[in-house]
Amino acid sequence: MVVTSHVTDAEHCLLQVERLVNSHTLHGSEALCKLLRYLADHALKHPGALKEYQIATEVFGRPADFDPQLDSLVRVQAGRLRTKLAEYYTSEGSDDPLVVELPKGTYTLAFHRAAAAPLRGSPKAEAAGSDKTAGSSVGVMVLAASLAVALVAVAFLAYQRATTAARVGETAPAAFRVFWQRFITGPEPPWIIFSNGAFVGRPETGLRYFNPAQDSRNAILDHYTGVGEVLAVHDLDHVFGLLSRQIRVKRGSLFTLDDVQNNDLIFVGSPAENLTLREIPSTKEFVFQRVTSGPRRDDLAVVNLHPQPGEPKMFIATPAGLPLTEDYAIISLVPGLNPARSVLILAGTTTIGTEAAAEYVSRQDSLEQLLLRLSVSQQGEMKSFEAVLRVKVARGVPVGSELVALRKVAQ
């Protein structure tokens, strides 16, 4: 598509939007194309802040009683759109002269020329003036369509290419600095170790978990992981960006015990798939175990080893075979094999619980709540603890989380 010199800036923007809508990247993503066109029309013709409620009811047909606190549809779709935009501009749109961006934390679409200043008259220029983030790449990962697994290699290609655009000029809240103190003051950047289960088969014919009774270990594919783990790494990357600290990322199957001795570690995913968690100091109050009897036999649960009054002995998600509406996750901060190093565990009984655990430690309001429950001031020192998170799930995404059990742990 050629844009002639007499075309106005607004027309340039609309032509670029249509190029995106007709691209291979967005092909088949009807909901995202509809959202992109809506955001472009609003940005160019009706400048002003958009609310989740407005988008939910006008774009996605949600009813008038839609509550964004209970339904994260708009946030999820906006995140997917950011990811697709990032994918497009790192592949087929790498030579496009005009970049369309959806900055994190807003629903106002921005347009700017590649490696140049924002377009005069565009919402980005009018709203942000000399915004220093213009021209940077956006988005962090490419999610697979399935909620069951995501192709990590593709996801982290985009993740590595999109870094600081949303971070410039942001300041980390005090709660972030208290909670993450152990991981931002060490001599080396922390490692994030994400789970990647052992699968056999092929994506086009069907993947399933490795069964040692019938499958050869040579058939294992260990480069897939749940979407919750992918989104968790994204959230953690954003947090450490705010804290001006780099991270390193490694999949669980490549992790070694030498890493435990020499680094601060953040484990993303449960021991059911993050098998290295079974070999290092882990939780002592809340542990993952398979149910051994009854109708929930073989389901993964969080076992409460020392129940307090009013607490159940076991936390277990929605039964397999039913739509997931409730999950549980462990958030635990413990010393490593080397006491000078720290280990943080963020693990759900499903990939959605893992995603919720990472979200919980990536948000100011929830961290402030946790620090309050642990009686840690905003100038205090973070001590070891273990916690259980109950996660409400709707349409495959976490929409609400609450602490249901918490223990301070002796150092």
Side-chain angles (χ1 to χ4, degrees):
M1 180 183 297
V2 178
V3 179
T4 58
S5 59
H6 69 273
V7 178
T8 67
D9 283 347
E11 289 174 319
H12 274 200
C13 295
L14 291 175
L15 287 170
Q16 182 65 25
V17 167
E18 288 307 307
R19 176 181 292 182
L20 280 159
V21 167
N22 292 296
S23 68
H24 291 295
T25 303
L26 281 170
H27 177 71
S29 301
E30 182 178 347
L32 296 187
C33 292
K34 186 177 180 180
L35 176 60
L36 177 60
R37 283 189 170 121
Y38 177 86
L39 296 180
D41 182 76
H42 193 278
L44 295 170
K45 298 179 183 178
H46 313 284
L50 271 169
K51 301 294 185 182
E52 284 186 47
Y53 179 87
Q54 185 177 350
I55 298 172
T57 54
E58 295 184 5
V59 178
F60 299 112
R62 287 293 187 264
D65 61 355
F66 173 82
D67 185 349
Q69 298 299 318
L70 300 177
D71 190 336
S72 62
L73 168 71
V74 176
R75 298 190 295 277
V76 170
Q77 294 292 66
R80 291 182 60 214
L81 181 57
R82 289 188 188 98
T83 296
K84 288 294 184 181
L85 291 174
E87 179 185 354
Y88 174 81
Y89 284 110
T90 56
S91 56
E92 59 186 298
S94 59
D95 295 326
D96 285 9
L98 190 62
V99 175
V100 182
E101 178 184 7
L102 183 58
K104 192 166 184 179
T106 178
Y107 298 116
T108 300
L109 213 60
F111 304 82
H112 59 84
R113 298 192 186 283
L119 286 175
R120 183 176 59 192
S122 74
K124 184 74 170 182
E126 293 172 357
S130 57
D131 187 349
K132 296 181 181 179
T133 65
S136 300
S137 60
V138 293
V140 290
M141 328 173 242
V142 180
L143 297 182
S146 170
L147 286 174
V149 292
L151 181 56
V152 172
V154 177
F156 282 99
L157 176 62
Y159 158 78
Q160 291 289 340
R161 292 180 178 177
T163 52
T164 60
R167 302 178 189 149
V168 176
E170 294 185 271
T171 302
F176 280 43
R177 297 193 177 278
V178 173
F179 182 84
W180 294 105
Q181 181 181 16
R182 297 189 188 184
F183 298 91
I184 61 177
T185 56
E188 298 291 338
W191 277 108
I192 295 179
I193 311 299
F194 66 91
S195 64
N196 58 308
F199 290 92
V200 294
R202 299 185 62 85
E204 62 271 24
T205 58
L207 288 171
R208 60 175 174 80
Y209 278 109
F210 169 74
N211 183 346
Q214 65 182 62
D215 300 319
S216 166
R217 299 199 66 85
N218 294 330
I220 291 177
L221 296 177
D222 64 355
H223 50 280
Y224 286 85
T225 192
V227 292
E229 281 76 4
V230 176
L231 291 172
V233 174
H234 161 45
D235 286 336
L236 295 171
D237 175 59
H238 179 70
V239 166
F240 281 91
L242 292 178
L243 295 166
S244 300
R245 183 69 163 166
Q246 291 185 335
I247 58 173
R248 297 169 294 177
V249 180
K250 180 180 286 190
R251 70 183 194 239
S253 61
L254 301 181
F255 181 77
T256 68
L257 290 181
D258 287 340
D259 295 325
V260 183
Q261 293 286 350
N262 304 318
N263 299 281
D264 296 307
L265 305 171
I266 303 170
F267 285 91
V268 175
S270 79
E273 294 186 1
N274 222 338
L275 302 183
T276 48
L277 270 173
R278 303 176 184 178
E279 302 173 14
I280 66 168
S282 190
T283 53
K284 298 178 180 179
E285 296 290 332
F286 309 109
V287 298
F288 287 99
Q289 291 182 1
R290 296 285 178 184
V291 179
T292 58
S293 62
R296 302 299 301 274
R297 182 177 178 178
D298 293 331
D299 282 356
L300 189 64
V302 175
V303 176
N304 189 350
L305 296 180
H306 305 102
Q308 299 297 309
E311 291 181 350
K313 295 182 179 180
M314 182 182 298
F315 303 95
I316 190 165
T318 305
L322 297 177
L324 186 67
T325 59
E326 185 175 73
D327 196 9
Y328 289 91
I330 289 176
I331 301 175
S332 176
L333 178 64
V334 298
L337 282 176
N338 177 351
R341 303 273 66 88
S342 297
V343 172
L344 178 67
I345 298 169
L346 306 171
T349 59
T350 76
T351 188
I352 306 304
T354 297
E355 178 184 350
E359 284 185 356
Y360 193 89
V361 297
S362 301
R363 297 198 316 259
Q364 180 180 354
D365 57 346
S366 51
L367 279 184
E368 289 175 344
Q369 179 191 62
L370 177 60
L371 294 179
L372 183 63
R373 292 277 298 272
L374 290 169
S375 301
V376 179
S377 72
Q378 294 202 352
Q379 292 77 38
E381 180 182 356
M382 198 69 199
K383 302 293 186 180
S384 296
F385 74 91
E386 297 178 24
V388 177
L389 201 65
R390 178 191 290 135
V391 182
K392 182 178 179 181
V393 182
R395 301 181 183 89
V397 295
V399 295
S401 301
E402 64 171 329
L403 287 175
V404 292
L406 180 64
R407 304 282 191 274
K408 296 179 182 180
V409 181
Q411 296 290 101

